[in-house]
Amino acid sequence: MSLAQQSILLREARHGRQLVKTAVNDRAGRLLQREARWLRELEAVSDLEGQVPRVLDEGTDADGRRYLVMSAVPKAGRAARSGTFTPSHARFLASLGKARFRATDFEVSGCCQWLQRGLRRLEGGATPKTRATLDQAYHDCETALLYWTGPYVLSQGDFAPWNVRDLGSQLFVCEWGNARTEASPLDDVLHYLMVQQALRSSAISAAALQATIRRAGAFALEAYPEWSWRPQVIGALTLVYLLGVVLDRSLAAGRLDRADPVTGAYWKLVEKRSAWMPA
């Protein structure tokens, strides 16, 4: 959630530091409700204990604004090293993925249904040429994953360096308003490795993306060794991630905005997917 949609207050309380978020519009209020719901559910996941904020209070203030009070990042927390995906990151995402887990075929997964809904909703905000590219890219995902059954998991939704703090032996991960179930198991890994690069430059090369794909593939093999991770599967799930981000940002903007640094960089990779996707 952006600062334009919420006010944030960090305060010291008797039992530790607290973060208070107050929504300034309806959309922000809905995100705060989602964040509170997910944080309460994650309290029951023992492997994530101490790694996500705890909900301390929530409700509506005298002005009718939604608020959420949660535990803040511990004082010992350090900013995550920029773009470095460590074993601590891998352990966190593996534990998160198992918190909500479903093994199924792509075409019946929540991931596939989310993409289909996004494509339908964007119809009015895309030119015929753009629409054709989106439809063909989605078809490529569907074709490559047609005979693959695999895990679909809980995704944090914005697993980026600015939402991750290093506590030494483990992480502390903030901002859960965009979490969702039945996401690709590679979404959070790819987002962590790619989004900052997209924000720094207007393009991500095919060679750079292929290196990222190899790192995501190594994570998948380690976290979910019982599943088949052929290069074609990893490539298709990378395209699923790119399409998902393009659709999400475009729906928020009401159109596909190539001037947006992340949308623009990812859209170029979607258009030129033959240069980096395994045959």
Side-chain angles (χ1 to χ4, degrees):
M1 189 187 304
S2 70
L3 294 180
Q5 297 168 322
Q6 65 178 352
S7 60
I8 301 176
L9 171 66
L10 179 64
R11 68 188 184 192
E12 298 286 345
R14 182 178 179 182
H15 300 293
R17 301 199 309 166
Q18 298 177 352
L19 191 68
V20 183
K21 293 183 178 182
T22 304
V24 299
N25 58 36
D26 290 342
R27 179 175 180 273
R30 290 191 295 272
L31 286 175
L32 285 186
Q33 283 185 295
R34 282 174 54 85
E35 183 167 19
R37 186 177 76 245
W38 281 118
L39 291 178
R40 291 190 187 282
E41 180 170 329
L42 293 173
E43 284 181 7
V45 182
S46 59
D47 287 345
L48 297 177
E49 185 176 357
Q51 298 190 78
V52 298
R54 290 180 296 106
V55 175
L56 305 175
D57 191 19
E58 62 175 314
T60 304
D61 66 15
D63 296 320
R65 300 182 303 175
R66 189 86 190 174
Y67 69 84
L68 174 63
V69 184
M70 67 189 82
S71 58
V73 179
K75 287 185 177 180
R78 303 184 301 273
R81 285 183 294 167
S82 176
T84 303
F85 189 83
T86 70
S88 294
H89 293 76
R91 285 194 300 272
F92 179 88
L93 291 182
S95 297
L96 178 64
K98 293 178 175 64
R100 279 284 201 98
F101 179 98
R102 182 190 181 199
T104 190
D105 298 332
F106 175 71
E107 61 267 25
V108 297
S109 69
C111 175
C112 176
Q113 293 165 10
W114 186 87
L115 287 177
Q116 290 175 337
R117 288 195 300 270
L119 288 168
R120 289 194 297 268
R121 288 176 58 199
L122 192 62
E123 283 184 356
T127 66
K129 182 179 179 181
T130 296
R131 176 70 195 199
T133 300
L134 287 168
D135 288 343
Q136 185 56 55
Y138 170 78
H139 176 74
D140 290 348
C141 295
E142 200 172 41
T143 300
L145 297 170
L146 182 60
Y147 299 109
W148 182 74
T149 299
Y152 293 89
V153 303
L154 173 58
S155 165
Q156 189 267 352
D158 191 14
F159 193 71
W162 46 85
N163 290 329
V164 177
R165 294 295 180 269
D166 183 356
L167 301 181
S169 60
Q170 61 185 19
L171 304 178
F172 191 89
V173 181
C174 313
E175 300 300 334
W176 290 84
N178 291 306
R180 62 187 180 93
T181 57
E182 291 198 35
S184 158
L186 302 188
D187 273 3
D188 284 339
V189 185
L190 291 166
H191 193 69
Y192 191 88
L193 294 171
M194 291 182 64
V195 71
Q196 196 165 217
Q197 185 178 352
L199 288 168
R200 284 197 305 261
S201 62
S202 59
I204 299 173
S205 69
L209 179 55
Q210 287 169 338
T212 298
I213 290 172
R214 288 192 292 271
R215 182 65 189 89
F219 165 78
L221 284 169
E222 180 182 351
Y224 308 102
E226 61 270 41
W227 306 103
S228 169
W229 298 104
R230 302 186 310 276
Q232 292 83 358
V233 169
I234 300 295
L237 290 176
T238 300
L239 185 55
V240 164
Y241 162 71
L242 293 171
L243 274 176
V245 174
V246 167
L247 285 170
D248 189 48
R249 296 177 80 93
S250 298
L251 289 170
R255 62 189 178 90
L256 196 150
D257 182 9
R258 292 179 177 85
D260 174 83
V262 175
T263 303
Y266 285 18
W267 180 247
K268 289 176 183 177
L269 292 172
V270 171
E271 287 184 308
K272 299 179 180 179
R273 58 194 179 278
S274 61
W276 56 265
M277 284 189 72

